Amino acid sequence: METHGEERVGIVEDGGLRLDRALVVLFPDLSRARLQDLVRAGQVTRDGGVVRDPSLKIAAGTRIVLDLPPPSDPVPEAEAVDLVIAYEDDDLIVVDKPAGLVVHPAPGHSGGTLVNALIAHCGASLSGVGGVRRPGIVHRLDKDTSGLIVVAKNDKAHHGLAAQFADHGRTGPLERAYQAFVWGTPHPAMGTIRASLARSRHNREKIAVVSDEVGRDAITHYAVIQRYAEASLVRCKLETGRTHQIRVHLSHRGHPLLGDGVYGAAFRTKAARLPDEAKAALTALGRQALHAELLGFAHPRTGETLRFESALPPDMAALKAALITSL
């Protein structure tokens, strides 16, 4: 539970509403998304009992207590963090992000993020569109995913890049490709995974494949690059960019990423079948084997097509070498 701050109390007048919607009526100064987060964090009680499901239907006359945590300093500070810069000009910067680096401040990661490093590197030139916690951030990579990410330095660049990401490259040159090591070999060796995604109802930290009526459309194109004894190297191209999309889609097909403790936990016993060298390389990896190798887009000011590639980082390259040796 978050720390205690202001306590707010309300009585539900209209029965049958979802809890999050009832909260919006009671506390209209807070956004529905913020209220949902507070519910999941255990900051809301219903007639004295903690409730964590925002979709729970609430009866008329129910007494709701909201424990609103005190505000924290929303402004990230500049921090000296080494960055590998693939490209930079007055409008944008392309960074080759290492695994383990969080993109922007969030609960549990108030510092040491890419945003903190960019503030130190770029000063006040970052776009403000993303807000104080996410200045310049147009898209994200998971903490443990390595590879290329573009950040806007001004609002015009931010709007131009964001429009391209929203269009998913359907009418422009936006291109994103990843390399991933997966368990087994997908069949067919080249194909498209189209499965809608949404936050899991059972575990809010996970994304799940759901019906089209419930989730957001998600499309991943894949091709097997190389087969190994127990695994394969796969290239994935995104047509949409949902949270954890590649990890969830491949797991849904029965081929979770090596090292993925969230979506590939059931495959941990497969690691025991690997030769010692490959097993050691996977242990040393300590993360999902996913790398953003390719990023292409139109420059938001000049219209020039920019395209960047990033080689596998040392930990994934070592895993690849060990898997090849095991053949």
Side-chain angles (χ1 to χ4, degrees):
M1 179 179 277
E2 296 184 24
T3 55
H4 293 278
E6 175 189 357
E7 184 178 272
R8 299 190 185 185
V9 180
I11 304 297
V12 176
E13 295 184 359
D14 297 323
L17 292 177
R18 287 170 48 115
L19 174 58
D20 54 359
R21 294 189 180 278
L23 289 171
V24 169
V25 174
L26 293 173
F27 313 115
D29 59 315
L30 299 174
S31 70
R32 185 180 175 192
R34 173 62 172 148
L35 290 165
Q36 289 174 334
D37 288 341
L38 290 170
V39 171
R40 296 176 187 125
Q43 302 294 120
V44 175
T45 60
R46 176 192 59 169
D47 292 334
V50 174
V51 57
R52 296 178 183 270
D53 183 1
S55 66
L56 186 69
K57 296 296 178 63
I58 302 298
T62 300
R63 183 176 185 269
I64 300 292
V65 177
L66 170 66
D67 187 6
L68 189 63
S72 59
D73 182 7
V75 182
E77 297 182 354
E79 295 182 31
V81 178
D82 290 336
L83 295 175
V84 177
I85 299 172
Y87 176 83
E88 182 176 12
D89 62 22
D90 291 340
D91 297 296
L92 57 90
I93 181 171
V94 177
V95 175
D96 199 341
K97 186 186 87 68
L101 181 63
V102 177
V103 170
H104 58 73
H109 296 283
S110 58
T113 71
L114 176 61
V115 162
N116 297 105
L118 288 169
I119 292 173
H121 178 79
C122 302
S125 67
L126 289 177
S127 164
V129 175
V132 291
R133 286 188 178 272
R134 305 179 185 183
I137 301 301
V138 179
H139 66 121
R140 291 178 290 174
L141 295 177
D142 293 342
K143 171 189 173 185
D144 289 329
T145 297
S146 55
L148 297 165
I149 181 170
V150 60
V151 177
K153 283 189 172 185
N154 55 62
D155 291 354
K156 182 177 181 179
H158 197 133
H159 287 301
L161 290 168
Q164 293 184 63
F165 277 85
D167 183 61
H168 304 303
R170 295 187 176 99
T171 61
L174 181 74
E175 187 177 8
R176 287 175 292 170
Y178 295 70
Q179 286 197 40
F181 290 96
V182 304
W183 290 112
T185 301
H187 295 284
M190 180 181 295
T192 297
I193 303 172
R194 184 166 192 162
S196 296
L197 302 177
R199 189 73 58 178
S200 171
R201 298 183 63 183
H202 306 290
N203 182 345
R204 302 303 299 180
E205 300 300 317
K206 297 179 67 174
I207 304 298
V209 171
V210 296
S211 66
D212 293 342
E213 293 75 18
V214 174
R216 302 178 69 188
D217 190 31
I219 304 171
T220 304
H221 306 285
Y222 74 88
V224 175
I225 301 173
Q226 192 165 15
R227 297 179 177 87
Y228 310 104
E230 297 288 342
S232 299
L233 176 59
V234 176
R235 176 173 287 112
C236 296
K237 288 193 174 184
L238 295 182
E239 188 171 324
T240 57
R242 311 304 181 199
T243 300
H244 298 179
Q245 178 174 316
I246 292 174
R247 298 165 64 190
V248 177
H249 271 176
L250 288 169
S251 178
H252 178 65
R253 281 291 185 90
H255 303 284
L257 274 61
L258 272 65
D260 193 338
V262 176
Y263 300 106
F267 282 68
R268 285 174 181 163
T269 54
K270 275 187 167 289
R273 304 179 189 175
L274 294 174
D276 290 343
E277 185 178 351
K279 192 185 307 180
L282 179 56
T283 299
L285 182 72
R287 65 178 178 101
Q288 68 261 10
L290 183 62
H291 178 67
E293 66 161 346
L294 173 65
L295 177 62
F297 54 88
H299 193 286
R301 180 171 53 84
T302 67
E304 177 188 1
T305 297
L306 302 178
R307 196 171 187 270
F308 306 96
E309 296 186 43
S310 170
L312 286 178
D315 56 355
M316 286 183 64
L319 177 60
K320 181 178 181 179
L323 289 169
I324 291 174
T325 302
S326 69
L327 290 176

